[in-house]
Amino acid sequence: MNGISHLWLLFIFHQNIERGWKNTVKAPRLGGNSTMGVLASRSTHRPNGIGMSVVKNKGVVSSNGQTQLVVEGVDLVDGTPLVDIKPYIAYADSVLSASDNLDDINPIPNRDVSFADTIQPTLAEIEKKHRGFSALVTAVLSQDPRPAYKQHIENDEKTYRVTLYDIDVGFEIRDAAVKVTELVHLG
């Protein structure tokens, strides 16, 4: 795997198989209320249950007779079965002229993100274990991961949650900005 910066992971949406699949889905990027064909989406409710994700290749390590592939940027739940791993080949996998109309339909927000003073000590401890954690949180939450139909609400009373690594991140939307108010270690 040397010399390959990124990899494709092909996997099974194992937590959705029993639910079956649907011909149409309500896509979050369309506000969660409009339907579209499942094959025109990235829905987890697919006819074959196969998903794919591109990740950064961090190399192979061996420890105690076990060889492991180390990757970064995984967006899978623990225990997700992998079907295959393929190299990401830039000239074949990147189409510079590719386009879609999702940004025209519902553009991705770019919100300011701040961390409450009360969680600064916890954030410092997390940064020791997960270097760059605050940058990751900022990158994810600046896109306002709330349901699309709520993204126009600039003062939202609800505390939303997202899990990054082993940390439950609680956040609120105030004055059109994201404020991280809770960081809780899971497990």
Side-chain angles (χ1 to χ4, degrees), residues 111-114 144 146 153-160 171-181:
R111 298 196 182 276
D112 290 333
V113 177
S114 64
D144 193 350
R146 296 178 299 162
I153 300 172
E154 296 187 351
N155 283 296
D156 197 335
E157 298 296 319
K158 182 174 180 178
T159 297
Y160 292 88
F171 66 96
E172 300 172 355
I173 306 295
R174 298 283 181 252
D175 298 322
V178 177
K179 181 143 212 162
V180 180
T181 57

Side-chain angles (χ1 to χ4, degrees), residues 42-115:
R42 293 202 171 193
S43 171
T44 59
H45 302 284
R46 309 197 68 73
N48 60 16
I50 296 174
M52 60 187 231
S53 184
V54 68
V55 296
K56 186 171 185 178
N57 178 14
K58 301 294 277 186
V60 175
V61 296
S62 294
S63 176
N64 298 327
Q66 299 253 333
T67 302
Q68 294 180 330
L69 176 64
V70 180
V71 297
E72 183 178 280
V74 176
D75 59 350
L76 310 175
V77 298
D78 284 345
T80 298
L82 292 179
V83 176
D84 201 355
I85 301 170
K86 298 185 181 300
Y88 179 97
I89 301 172
Y91 80 88
D93 292 335
S94 178
V95 180
L96 297 178
S97 62
S99 64
D100 64 61
N101 65 347
L102 288 177
D103 282 343
D104 296 337
I105 295 168
N106 197 7
I108 295 174
N110 187 15
R111 298 196 182 276
D112 290 333
V113 177
S114 64
F115 296 83

Side-chain angles (χ1 to χ4, degrees), residues 123-177:
L123 182 60
E125 284 299 313
I126 293 169
E127 282 284 346
K128 290 177 185 174
K129 181 178 178 186
H130 302 294
R131 192 169 37 122
F133 182 76
S134 58
L136 173 64
V137 170
T138 299
V140 169
L141 297 185
S142 70
Q143 297 179 45
D144 193 350
R146 296 178 299 162
Y149 67 89
K150 289 206 168 201
Q151 290 178 349
H152 71 283
I153 300 172
E154 296 187 351
N155 283 296
D156 197 335
E157 298 296 319
K158 182 174 180 178
T159 297
Y160 292 88
R161 313 198 87 69
V162 64
T163 301
L164 299 169
Y165 296 116
D166 56 346
I167 308 298
D168 181 52
V169 179
F171 66 96
E172 300 172 355
I173 306 295
R174 298 283 181 252
D175 298 322

Side-chain angles (χ1 to χ4, degrees), residues 8-20:
W8 284 109
L9 302 181
L10 281 78
F11 59 90
I12 302 293
F13 286 111
H14 66 293
Q15 293 184 344
N16 289 343
I17 297 269
E18 290 181 12
R19 295 183 200 159

